[in-house]
């Protein structure tokens, strides 16, 4: 898999079905940062055309230096990948932090965005958001990555999905713990998302935008998605009746169908 140097940080990425004659769909992960969260999307989207995936700076197979974490820098990594791969424009699909990255891309690099899908994201880190992640940092520093992973996990899924899929979730937790970034890097990544605030710039977004959320998303409750859809001109809001923060995992078939339909209506 190729790597690209983005401002001194090596970013690992891959392109699936690269020969297809369509604009790529670029999936951008949340705080965990690794590409494996999009497994349930790959079959449907590679049948359509190219799919781009990467590990965020500080995660997975990408470099993990200290002192280089912000949402705008993560957006610059996506631009570096596009430049390296010769991709002029792409459809962007992001979950949570991925959606924050896409907000910055739509505003600062509008010529690179064909359409945007923001799933379980937020426009500004308010008291509710910051308290969650302040406590995650406290667990991280006082108890370690194992405790943080298991502490955060139950908030990412609906209670029903968590119970019905517990063994699969537990295996994913074990994998995340084995591959966890250094504590200091993970702490800086948490600080980066707590600093996110694009609320007053949302009106500058011109790309066609679909905002997706589940009613039972505890991490980024629906009111954040309502703020996004109200602030972004022409944005469409799709609310799932359940699915948790990882609605694209729990409701993969319906999520994929909705996003593919949206993309099809905004092809060049």
């Amino acid at each position: 898999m190729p790597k690209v140097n983005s401002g001194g940080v090596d970013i690992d990425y891959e392109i699936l079905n690269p020969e297809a004659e369509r604009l790529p769909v670029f999936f951008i992960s949340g705080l965990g940062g690794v590409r494996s969260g999009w497994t349930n999307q790959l079959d449907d989207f590679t049948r359509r055309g190219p799919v781009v995936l990467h590990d965020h700076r500080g995660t997975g197979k990408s470099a993990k230096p200290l002192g280089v974490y912000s949402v705008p820098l993560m957006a610059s990594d996506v631009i570096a990948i596009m430049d390296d791969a010769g991709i002029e424009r792409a459809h962007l699909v992001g979950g949570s932090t991925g959606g924050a990255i896409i907000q910055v891309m739509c505003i600062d690099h509008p010529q690179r965005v064909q359409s945007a899908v923001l799933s379980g994201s937020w426009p500004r880190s308010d008291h509710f958001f910051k308290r969650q992640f302040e406590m995650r940092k406290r667990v991280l520093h006082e108890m370690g990555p194992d405790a943080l992973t298991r502490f955060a996990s139950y908030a990412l899924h609906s209670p029903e999905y968590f119970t019905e899929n517990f063994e699969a979730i537990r295996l994913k937790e074990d994998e995340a713990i084995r591959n966890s970034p250094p504590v200091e890097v993970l702490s800086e990544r948490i600080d980066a998302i707590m600093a996110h605030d694009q609320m007053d710039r949302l009106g500058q977004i011109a790309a066609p935008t679909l905002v997706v959320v589940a009613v039972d998303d505890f991490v980024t409750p629906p009111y954040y998605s309502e703020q996004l859809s109200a602030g972004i001109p022409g944005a469409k809001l799709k609310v799932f009746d359940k699915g948790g923060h990882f609605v694209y995992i729990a409701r993969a078939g319906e999520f994929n169908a909705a996003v593919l339909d949206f993309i099809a209506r905004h092809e060049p």
Side-chain angles (χ1 to χ4, degrees):
M1 287 178 281
K3 290 185 185 290
V4 61
N5 188 275
S6 176
V9 181
D10 285 339
I11 306 297
D12 192 276
Y13 74 94
E14 63 182 309
I15 304 177
L16 307 178
N17 194 15
E19 303 303 322
E21 296 293 329
R22 306 289 288 275
L23 282 188
V25 177
F26 202 133
F27 286 98
I28 307 176
S29 298
L31 179 62
V34 293
R35 70 197 78 178
S36 59
W38 299 105
T39 299
N40 290 356
Q41 280 61 59
L42 298 186
D43 285 348
D44 287 343
F45 283 85
T46 53
R47 278 195 294 269
R48 173 207 162 269
V51 168
V52 188
L53 302 159
H54 78 300
D55 294 334
H56 290 197
R57 56 175 60 207
T59 74
K61 297 178 181 179
S62 293
K64 303 173 181 65
L66 292 173
V68 292
Y69 299 96
S70 71
V71 172
L73 284 174
M74 293 181 224
S76 72
D77 297 339
V78 177
I79 296 297
I81 292 168
M82 294 175 72
D83 288 345
D84 190 62
I87 298 169
E88 292 297 323
R89 294 172 69 84
H91 300 283
L92 307 180
V93 180
S96 199
T97 299
I101 292 168
I102 292 172
Q103 292 167 46
V104 172
M105 289 191 63
C106 287
I107 296 165
D108 292 342
H109 306 279
Q111 72 281 6
R112 311 305 293 270
V113 183
Q114 183 68 23
S115 72
V117 178
L118 314 177
S119 179
S121 197
W122 78 107
R124 171 182 285 161
S125 300
D126 60 9
H127 292 301
F128 177 80
F129 189 93
K130 290 178 180 177
R131 174 60 62 86
Q132 283 188 75
F133 287 93
E134 286 166 355
M135 295 310 298
R136 287 202 198 185
K137 279 186 65 178
R138 183 170 177 179
V139 171
L140 172 66
H141 287 286
E142 295 183 6
M143 301 175 70
D146 184 314
L148 174 64
T149 299
R150 302 196 195 282
F151 171 74
S153 182
Y154 70 85
L156 298 170
H157 304 278
S158 70
E160 179 183 26
Y161 185 90
F162 187 87
T163 296
E164 292 176 352
N165 297 273
F166 180 71
E167 286 306 314
I169 290 170
R170 185 179 60 79
L171 291 174
K172 285 289 188 182
E173 291 172 347
D174 292 345
E175 179 185 4
I177 291 164
R178 286 194 302 271
N179 298 306
S180 179
V183 168
E184 296 81 2
V185 169
L186 185 48
S187 182
E188 288 188 9
R189 283 179 55 78
I190 293 173
D191 287 340
I193 68 168
M194 286 199 293
H196 175 65
D197 182 358
Q198 297 296 326
M199 182 77 84
D200 295 336
R201 299 209 299 161
L202 294 178
Q204 298 178 37
I205 296 178
T209 303
L210 175 65
V211 181
V212 179
V213 71
V215 169
D216 55 358
D217 184 339
F218 176 81
V219 178
T220 52
Y223 79 89
Y224 290 142
S225 289
E226 292 166 1
Q227 291 173 342
L228 285 167
S229 62
I232 298 171
K236 307 299 182 185
L237 175 63
K238 180 172 179 58
V239 180
F240 286 86
D241 60 355
K242 61 180 180 179
H245 190 55
F246 286 163
V247 66
Y248 52 88
I249 296 175
R251 306 285 291 275
E254 296 158 88
F255 177 91
N256 294 353
V259 173
L260 284 166
D261 177 70
F262 177 76
I263 287 173
R265 288 186 281 113
H266 297 290
E267 294 282 22

